[in-house]
Amino acid sequence: DGGITQSPKYLFRKEGQNVTLSCEQNLNHDAMYWYRQDPGQGLRLIYYSQIVNDFQKGDIAEGYSVSREKKESFPLTVTSAQKNPTAFYLCASTPGGRGGANVLTFGAGSRLTVL
Amino acid sequence: GDSVTQMEGPVTLSEEAFLTINCTYTATGYPSLFWYVQYPGEGLQLLLKATKADDKGSNKGFEATYRKETTSFHLEKGSVQVSDSAVYFCALSDTGAQKLVFGQGTRLTINP
């Protein structure tokens, strides 16, 4: 079945450590996204990529980095510069293009806790 | 910029009650509007969508009508079930945009 796989589901990190969250999709989608979810704040866009080897900052990119070397993969690194990294992280994808009406397919999420 | 405002939660109802979750938006163009649902411990799933004014999206007994005059997209269901307990997100995508803007989410709990 086609879908988005995020790993790990739960991750614990000590302060000052970088961590990388994996996102893989087999939907042949061009566009991929990373959102952060905090209680009562909805979803906020961190980074997105519309095509391989290209990505753009979202609303809260500071302290995060991404790469898009392959169409199916869009890993997110939470760096030590991110001051409040404890959150639920959601990866999503969409076919892309102007006519897609942006129906996103989401992964199951990764919960990061900083100790 | 574009924004979405949802009614504050949490919302608690009894089974078979009528549900309304309000959603209003601000956008510069002609957005598409969406409702997504998130069940506990999972990612979001598309519930319904509408792409132009007066369109009605519907799925699983839920409905929402795109009202341009009131910039609203309220979610309704005539008779809720315990299995409808989840967090509901309203979202928009403006004309030509490649990203969605989400509301803050409304947590719904249905008691038997």
Side-chain angles (χ1 to χ4, degrees), chain A residues 9 31 33 35 37 40-43 45 48 50 59 88 90 94 96-98 101-104 106-109, chain B residues 32 34 36 38 41-46 49 51 87 89 93-105:
Chain A
K9 190 171 179 65
Y33 305 79
Y35 286 90
Q37 183 177 13
Q41 294 194 44
L43 275 69
L45 183 63
Y48 63 106
Q50 297 179 11
D59 301 316
F88 190 52
L90 287 161
T94 188
R98 294 177 60 85
N102 289 306
V103 175
L104 293 174
F106 281 86
Chain B
S32 296
F34 307 83
Y36 282 82
Q38 183 180 34
E42 299 182 8
L44 279 67
Q45 305 172 23
L46 178 68
K49 68 176 183 178
T51 57
V87 181
F89 291 90
S93 174
D94 212 340
T95 308
Q98 291 296 323
K99 54 182 180 176
L100 263 66
V101 175
F102 286 86
Q104 74 269 35

Side-chain angles (χ1 to χ4, degrees), chain A residues 72-98:
Chain A
E72 59 270 24
S73 179
F74 191 42
L76 173 74
T77 296
V78 184
T79 75
S80 57
Q82 169 51 233
K83 298 306 179 187
N84 185 21
T86 294
F88 190 52
Y89 291 88
L90 287 161
C91 180
S93 70
T94 188
R98 294 177 60 85

Side-chain angles (χ1 to χ4, degrees), chain A residues 32 46-58 64-69 74-75:
Chain A
M32 298 186 73
I46 305 172
Y47 269 98
Y48 63 106
S49 167
Q50 297 179 11
I51 196 168
V52 174
N53 292 323
D54 188 39
F55 49 82
Q56 289 78 40
K57 292 182 179 180
Y64 299 97
S65 66
V66 294
S67 63
R68 187 85 188 278
E69 297 177 0
F74 191 42

Side-chain angles (χ1 to χ4, degrees), chain B residues 14-92:
Chain B
S14 298
E15 205 165 22
E16 299 184 1
F18 184 85
L19 168 70
T20 300
I21 300 178
N22 290 338
C23 172
T24 57
Y25 67 89
T26 301
T28 54
Y30 301 93
S32 296
L33 300 173
F34 307 83
W35 277 100
Y36 282 82
V37 58
Q38 183 180 34
Y39 298 104
E42 299 182 8
L44 279 67
Q45 305 172 23
L46 178 68
L47 181 59
L48 53 85
K49 68 176 183 178
T51 57
K52 62 182 186 297
D54 299 326
D55 270 1
K56 177 186 285 187
S58 61
N59 186 25
K60 299 181 181 180
F62 290 89
E63 293 183 341
T65 301
Y66 188 142
R67 301 287 188 198
K68 187 177 179 182
E69 64 276 14
T70 54
T71 61
S72 65
F73 193 55
H74 305 321
L75 182 69
E76 297 181 335
K77 186 174 185 181
S79 177
V80 292
Q81 306 300 313
V82 172
S83 57
D84 294 326
S85 298
V87 181
Y88 292 81
F89 291 90
C90 186
L92 72 81

Side-chain angles (χ1 to χ4, degrees), chain A residues 18-40:
Chain A
N18 293 353
V19 294
T20 297
L21 307 181
S22 170
C23 177
E24 302 279 333
Q25 55 100 356
N26 61 3
L27 300 166
N28 200 34
H29 285 175
D30 285 320
M32 298 186 73
Y33 305 79
W34 275 105
Y35 286 90
R36 170 179 170 142
Q37 183 177 13
D38 296 282

